[in-house]
């Protein structure tokens, strides 16, 4: 289940991609399949080891084209172990709402992104997230949980302040909002409640079968209750500095 829409976020074979806070690796795997040179980074060592196993399995199964590479590594989003301008593409999906210094994370992403490079940022959407917080303190008051709820204009402002130029946005995963509302209403750790179990089966069926009916329904509902807000931006090229002009008096006396 991808949150980034690669029809709006073009990825070319050979692009060097950083999936920052990769989690289970869903976007990193898609980039690898598309022929990118992928680095999946997360502070959770257990998840990184699983991502590395999946990368190896994908290579063994021939799922990635020739020239594609994939590396999984532990790291700190506020202190990325890469030189300036290392990546063509940076993805950070459902991560910034967890980090107190979100401006610091944006600054690090901008630092490692090449001029002309592209960045995709996804966060929980304000409206559906507010419902979850209202229904359950346990949903967000956990170690490493969500510490803020972004409004779209707030996130876009921070992206601009970091030196990036937004070029598009949309909402995603409308069918997942009711599931999390049910989870919050019946208890975030209570997977036995009948409504939660029934809705979970619906989501699994949708992910596995990809029926047209749910695809159309989600597209129609995304602007209303999409669970995630997705923003795309580019890092502008620095303006070229003009060559120094010789002093006219010096030229005349030459």
């Amino acid at each position: 289940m991808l949150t980034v829409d690669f029809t709006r976020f073009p990825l070319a074979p050979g692009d060097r991609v950083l999936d920052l806070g990769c989690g289970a690796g869903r976007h990193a795997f898609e980039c690898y399949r598309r022929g990118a040179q992928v680095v999946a980074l997360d502070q959770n060592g257990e998840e990184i080891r699983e991502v590395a196993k999946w990368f190896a399995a994908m290579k063994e199964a021939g799922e990635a084209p020739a020239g594609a590479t994939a590396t999984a590594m532990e790291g700190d989003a506020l202190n990325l172990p890469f030189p300036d301008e290392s990546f063509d593409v940076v993805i950070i999906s459902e991560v910034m709402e967890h980090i107190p210094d979100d401006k610091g994370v944006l600054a690090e992403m901008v630092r490692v992104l090449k001029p002309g490079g592209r960045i995709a940022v996804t966060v929980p959407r304000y409206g559906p997230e507010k419902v979850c917080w209202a229904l359950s303190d346990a949903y967000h008051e956990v170690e490493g949980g969500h510490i803020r709820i972004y409004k779209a204009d707030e996130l876009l402002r921070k992206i601009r302040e970091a030196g990036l130029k937004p070029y598009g946005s949309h909402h995603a995963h409308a069918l997942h909002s009711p599931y999390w509302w049910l989870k919050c209403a019946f208890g975030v750790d209570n997977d036995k409640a009948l409504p939660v179990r029934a809705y979970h089966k619906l989501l699994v069926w949708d992910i596995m079968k990809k029926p047209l009916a749910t695809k159309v329904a989600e597209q129609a509902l995304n602007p209303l209750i999409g669970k995630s807000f997705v923003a795309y931006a580019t890092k502008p090229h620095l303006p070229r500095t003009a060559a120094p002009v010789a002093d006219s008096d010096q030229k005349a006396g030459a």
Side-chain angles (χ1 to χ4, degrees), residues 8 27 45 47 78 91-92 104 111 156-157 202 234-235:
R8 310 182 195 213
H27 289 107
E47 286 196 309
L78 289 164
I91 297 171
I92 184 165
R111 180 183 67 79
L156 291 172
R157 174 178 54 78
L202 170 66
T234 58
K235 180 177 178 178

Side-chain angles (χ1 to χ4, degrees), residues 3 10 12 24 52-53 55 83 90 97 141 171 173 176 178 182 227 247:
T3 307
K53 290 178 184 178
F55 278 151
V90 177
E97 67 275 10
E141 290 183 357
H171 300 99
H173 309 319
H176 287 250
L182 289 170
K227 183 74 170 67
D247 185 89

Side-chain angles (χ1 to χ4, degrees), residues 110-212:
V110 171
R111 180 183 67 79
V112 302
L113 187 64
K114 296 177 182 178
R118 303 171 303 285
I119 187 168
V121 182
T122 92
V123 297
R125 184 184 185 176
Y126 184 82
E129 187 77 347
K130 284 287 284 187
V131 173
C132 288
W133 284 43
L135 289 172
S136 170
D137 291 336
Y139 170 79
H140 63 96
E141 290 183 357
V142 295
E143 184 178 356
H146 299 182
I147 62 171
R148 69 173 63 83
I149 307 176
Y150 288 100
K151 290 186 177 180
D153 57 356
E154 176 195 1
L155 180 62
L156 291 172
R157 174 178 54 78
K158 289 186 176 183
I159 288 173
R160 291 189 185 97
E161 289 174 351
L164 298 166
K165 184 178 181 181
Y167 70 83
S169 64
H170 63 90
H171 300 99
H173 309 319
L175 295 182
H176 287 250
S177 290
Y179 172 72
W180 282 103
W181 296 339
L182 289 170
K183 287 272 287 181
C184 289
F186 286 92
V188 290
D189 297 320
N190 179 12
D191 294 325
K192 295 181 179 180
L194 179 59
V196 174
R197 287 192 289 116
Y199 203 97
H200 184 262
K201 287 182 179 180
L202 170 66
L203 292 179
V204 172
W205 173 76
D206 175 55
I207 292 170
M208 299 300 295
K209 300 297 184 181
K210 298 180 174 63
L212 179 60

